[in-house]
Amino acid sequence: MIKGLGKLTSIIKKDIVLAIAVALAVVSSFFVPPSPSYSGYIDWNTIALLFSLMTAVKILQNASVFTYFAGVLIGKASDTRLILAILVFLPFASSMFITNDVALITFVPFGLEVLRSCGQKRLIVPLTVLQTLAANLGSMATPMGNPQNLYIYEKSGESMGWITGIMAPYAGISFLMIA
């Protein structure tokens, strides 16, 4: 019994976020008792899409595609600052068209590979933070950039140009602030 408890403690210490998530799930089950209707809460299409995207990114990593493009980027860029700017503004721009989550799933692994390739591992955390900010701020510019805009676009009945026109100044200010 004690041996099992020690193993459980080790697992909890190793993955504290998972442990907290499980604990909160258990607590929430007292407020909304588990039922067969739970399976209806899950958007299986979104999960399948994200799983497919993560699988594709992993296949690209295993095929050294990111390594190849990291080498190209490093060869073309004149210094680390330019490399970081490119790595931050790739998710900013792409999140306007492929959503912020997809931009991050795609470009964070690429950014990590670039930093490893050019010996700048110390910049991994700042780059990941800036990429996350950039993807979320860039995504506000278009209806397909994030779910909130998609909802507003759908419910408003207005055109894509209307939403983009309203959001463009905010995205522009965000771009300048990140730069």
Side-chain angles (χ1 to χ4, degrees):
M1 176 74 170
I2 303 239
K3 185 177 180 182
L5 187 59
K7 189 172 184 177
L8 179 63
T9 304
S10 173
I11 291 170
I12 290 171
K13 285 180 182 178
K14 185 176 179 183
D15 200 343
I16 190 72
V17 174
L18 176 63
I20 291 170
V22 168
L24 290 174
V26 169
V27 169
S28 73
S29 71
F30 290 107
F31 296 102
V32 180
S35 74
S37 66
Y38 270 25
S39 64
Y41 300 159
I42 300 170
D43 184 348
W44 293 107
N45 289 335
T46 301
I47 289 174
L49 183 63
L50 289 172
F51 176 77
S52 298
L53 181 63
M54 288 187 275
T55 302
V57 168
K58 191 63 179 173
I59 289 168
L60 292 173
Q61 282 177 325
N62 289 344
S64 299
V65 172
F66 289 155
T67 304
Y68 170 77
F69 283 113
V72 170
L73 177 60
I74 292 166
K76 301 274 184 194
S78 57
D79 64 2
T80 305
R81 185 171 286 210
L82 179 59
I83 290 171
L84 290 175
I86 291 167
L87 292 174
V88 168
F89 289 110
L90 276 170
F92 182 90
S94 66
S95 69
M96 295 177 195
F97 306 102
I98 61 171
T99 78
N100 50 6
D101 299 327
V102 174
L104 289 171
I105 288 171
T106 304
F107 290 111
V108 167
F110 176 65
L112 298 179
E113 184 60 39
V114 169
L115 292 179
R116 282 188 201 106
S117 296
C118 65
Q120 296 292 332
K121 285 185 180 181
R122 65 185 176 80
L123 297 173
I124 285 176
V125 171
L127 173 67
T128 305
V129 169
L130 285 171
Q131 283 182 317
T132 303
L133 286 170
N136 282 287
L137 292 171
S139 72
M140 81 168 98
T142 63
M144 62 283 229
N146 66 47
Q148 297 85 349
N149 279 7
L150 197 55
Y151 180 78
I152 291 168
Y153 170 66
E154 184 179 312
K155 292 296 181 186
S156 72
E158 296 292 338
S159 70
M160 188 179 297
W162 179 80
I163 295 274
T164 303
I166 288 174
M167 298 309 294
Y170 301 105
I173 290 167
S174 297
F175 179 90
L176 294 173
M177 291 175 71
I178 292 171

